[in-house]
Amino acid sequence: MDTPISASEDTAAAEDGRGREWLLGIAMPVLAWLPRAVTASVLILALYLWGLHWPAAAALFLLAVGISRSVLETHDPLPGRAVRPEDEPELAELVRDVAERLGFREPLLVRIVPVVQASLGRTRVSGVRTHVLLLGLPLLRRLTEAQLASVIAHELAHEKHLGERRHRLLRFGHAVLAERLEGRFRPLAPLAAPLLRAGRPRLWAQETAADADAARIAGTEATAEALRRAGLLHAVFEAFSERWVAALAEEDSWPVDLYDAFGTAVSDPYVARRAARAAAEEDAVDPYAAADHPPLDRRVTALPAHSGTPYGDAPLALRTGAAVTAWCDRQLAGLDWQPEPEPGDELDRVRILDLPADRLRELGFDARLALLHATDRDSSTEAVAQALDALADGSWPRLARRLEPALRWAPAAVRPAFARSVLAGALSTPFAEVLCTTGWTYTSRWLGSVVTAPDGERVVDLHELIGEALISGDPAPVLALWTSAEPKEWAV
């Protein structure tokens, strides 16, 4: 028979849990700063021993300032564009209503940012501690009112679930330490991974608790769809919109219909499927337990049941939408950070939706040239044939390393998945290009790897097909498609 747990034992266990969180919250940033602190200490000691006392004191001061800036609140300009209630009364009322239903009583500013983001931060306004809610324009344009309410509720709920200092310290320490593991050299990894793994259950519990509050406010269905849509929007925005802006900037141009084009791309079922697959693969690869959010399927499954929502099922209209969109366009293009251009130096205004489909598919990245260079071949047909030979005989990891040298420094646990992604991305587009010389046609104006067979019935996503072959180790479906197409060779 089990012995009942007494109240004193419960209290002791809770105290142990709090003490563990404090220790983890302190150990993580200390470990993150350890290499720099050791290097700086050696430098300061050497300067002091050489009699250079003033340089040593200056170096010590700079070290202290650097650590202080990392720990304390900074006073950098607030990101985003301010939302004034008189300009956007519907959005202001939505935020106010969600806050009241959550019991959120703190001063709150709302600002719109150009990217897919939703976060709650702190600042000081006239000496008063104030919270700042950042909402990305893609979320405002693509989520329904109910889904947006869920996103807002999730962020505001964090204030309740991160109310204690040890929780904030733990999240801060986790973020700082995880950032140190993103570079090529990761000497902290053997020590960092156990700490990150130990702190992850608490961080994940905070996220699922905020999700539960969001479901209570906006309904389970709206919250689940908001989680799915936010992940999709983030993946597509990174894959397309940021690439468009960067590619056009190299041509002294900038897009004036970025968010309209983004919305059209998101609506493409092949783009949505590719983005969902990429997000799931990213969730599955976490060698150092650095993810502070649970995987999407786990978050959706954990939602409590709350039927109905008091909010609408259409996106919230922004009264200043045109001005906000123009401001975000310029922010992404970096135009608001540049001096006024001289006459004749203005960037060309480009409408992405007016670009030809072939130009749109290759904008920002030419996978064909990458494969030609890696295989040292003069035509796409020859390059694809050699890549498929490597796929058939199992030597494709060497080709992937030629395509992406950074694979050599990727963590061993994620290197195979990274290599598969690299090869599938580089091979699928020129493969499709060759197929389209034999009667196949492009299916999507956004993706260069989705093609339709000459009979008009079969649609193949070559990126997905190649990826599945790499995972299963069975290249037969890919090789059979290549053989049946009988591609024609041409010179570059």
Side-chain angles (χ1 to χ4, degrees):
M1 181 175 178
D2 295 335
T3 303
I5 298 176
S6 67
S8 61
E9 290 173 324
D10 278 341
T11 303
E15 291 293 337
D16 288 343
R18 286 193 286 269
R20 176 185 173 85
E21 290 169 3
W22 276 113
L23 288 175
L24 286 171
I26 294 171
M28 288 181 185
V30 167
L31 179 60
W33 292 319
L34 185 60
R36 295 183 181 181
V38 169
T39 301
S41 299
V42 171
L43 175 62
I44 293 169
L45 180 60
L47 291 173
Y48 184 82
L49 293 178
W50 288 340
L52 303 175
H53 296 165
W54 281 111
L60 181 61
F61 173 76
L62 292 175
L63 176 63
V65 169
I67 295 176
S68 298
R69 284 179 60 85
S70 299
V71 176
L72 301 177
E73 291 182 335
T74 61
H75 299 281
D76 295 332
L78 293 176
R81 177 186 172 99
V83 175
R84 298 187 300 178
E86 59 268 26
D87 292 335
E88 298 292 350
E90 290 82 6
L91 178 57
E93 177 57 30
L94 177 63
V95 173
R96 186 181 304 112
D97 185 68
V98 170
E100 288 178 355
R101 296 182 66 195
L102 274 173
F104 185 93
R105 302 285 188 264
E106 303 290 333
L108 180 65
L109 301 177
V110 181
R111 301 180 71 89
I112 297 176
V113 292
V115 298
V116 181
Q117 179 183 358
S119 62
L120 184 70
R122 291 184 175 188
T123 188
R124 288 192 176 275
V125 177
S126 301
V128 178
R129 190 183 72 177
T130 303
H131 292 79
V132 182
L133 176 65
L134 301 183
L135 295 174
L137 181 59
L139 298 177
L140 294 171
R141 289 174 60 114
R142 304 301 302 180
L143 297 183
T144 68
E145 182 183 3
Q147 293 162 8
L148 181 61
S150 171
V151 170
I152 294 170
H154 176 96
E155 298 305 326
L156 297 185
H158 274 312
E159 179 60 23
K160 175 174 67 175
H161 301 298
L162 290 175
E164 297 190 32
R165 290 184 178 179
R166 71 177 189 278
H167 294 156
R168 295 186 181 279
L169 179 61
L170 181 63
R171 184 168 289 274
F172 167 76
H174 188 280
V176 171
L177 187 55
E179 185 181 4
R180 294 292 187 269
L181 301 177
E182 294 178 356
R184 177 182 300 181
F185 302 105
R186 297 172 292 274
L188 299 178
L191 296 175
L195 289 178
L196 293 172
R197 191 170 291 109
R200 187 171 64 179
R202 166 53 61 183
L203 299 183
W204 285 16
Q206 292 165 356
E207 291 298 328
T208 54
D211 288 341
D213 281 338
R216 176 172 59 84
I217 297 299
T220 302
E221 183 178 351
T223 299
E225 189 58 24
L227 290 173
R228 297 188 188 98
R229 292 288 294 172
L232 168 65
L233 295 174
H234 177 73
V236 176
F237 197 87
E238 281 196 333
F240 289 90
S241 300
E242 294 183 0
R243 189 186 76 197
W244 293 335
V245 171
L248 290 173
E250 293 180 356
E251 302 173 2
D252 294 328
S253 304
W254 64 289
V256 295
D257 63 339
L258 178 69
Y259 293 96
D260 291 335
F262 167 71
T264 305
V266 167
S267 300
D268 185 307
Y270 300 103
V271 171
R273 179 172 174 172
R274 175 78 57 82
R277 184 183 180 94
E281 291 174 350
E282 184 177 353
D283 278 345
V285 177
D286 187 14
Y288 301 126
D292 57 1
H293 287 63
L296 174 61
D297 57 352
R298 181 167 175 169
R299 294 179 69 181
V300 172
T301 302
L303 290 175
H306 291 282
S307 61
T309 174
Y311 305 108
D313 57 1
L316 197 68
L318 295 178
R319 298 194 181 189
T320 60
V324 170
T325 300
W327 181 86
C328 289
D329 280 336
R330 294 181 62 84
Q331 286 288 315
L332 286 176
L335 299 180
D336 285 354
W337 300 98
Q338 297 177 356
E340 288 296 322
E342 298 292 335
D345 289 343
E346 294 86 356
L347 296 180
D348 293 331
R349 298 162 63 91
V350 175
R351 281 188 53 82
I352 295 176
L353 291 173
D354 291 343
L355 295 176
D358 56 347
R359 169 81 171 112
L360 191 56
R361 282 189 292 265
E362 69 181 17
L363 187 63
F365 177 68
D366 193 339
R368 175 172 173 261
L369 291 180
L371 189 66
L372 291 177
H373 177 74
T375 57
D376 194 23
R377 290 296 182 265
D378 296 326
S379 74
S380 290
T381 304
E382 293 175 340
V384 172
Q386 180 170 327
L388 292 179
D389 287 342
L391 181 61
D393 64 24
S395 63
W396 62 267
R398 289 198 296 271
L399 176 58
R401 287 193 295 271
R402 289 197 295 272
L403 286 162
E404 180 51 79
L407 272 170
R408 294 175 172 83
W409 298 286
V414 304
R415 199 174 300 145
F418 188 11
R420 290 193 297 267
S421 176
V422 166
L423 184 61
L427 176 56
S428 57
T429 301
F431 195 157
E433 185 179 11
V434 174
L435 290 181
C436 287
T437 68
T438 68
W440 290 67
T441 55
Y442 288 107
T443 309
S444 169
R445 70 177 306 207
W446 308 100
L447 296 172
S449 61
V450 183
V451 289
T452 302
D455 60 12
E457 296 182 359
R458 184 186 180 193
V459 177
V460 178
D461 185 338
L462 290 166
H463 188 283
E464 183 175 319
L465 182 68
I466 294 168
E468 290 174 350
L470 292 170
I471 292 174
S472 66
D474 179 15
V478 180
L479 299 178
L481 178 60
W482 177 256
T483 301
S484 65
E486 298 180 355
K488 300 175 183 179
E489 182 178 350
W490 80 92
V492 179

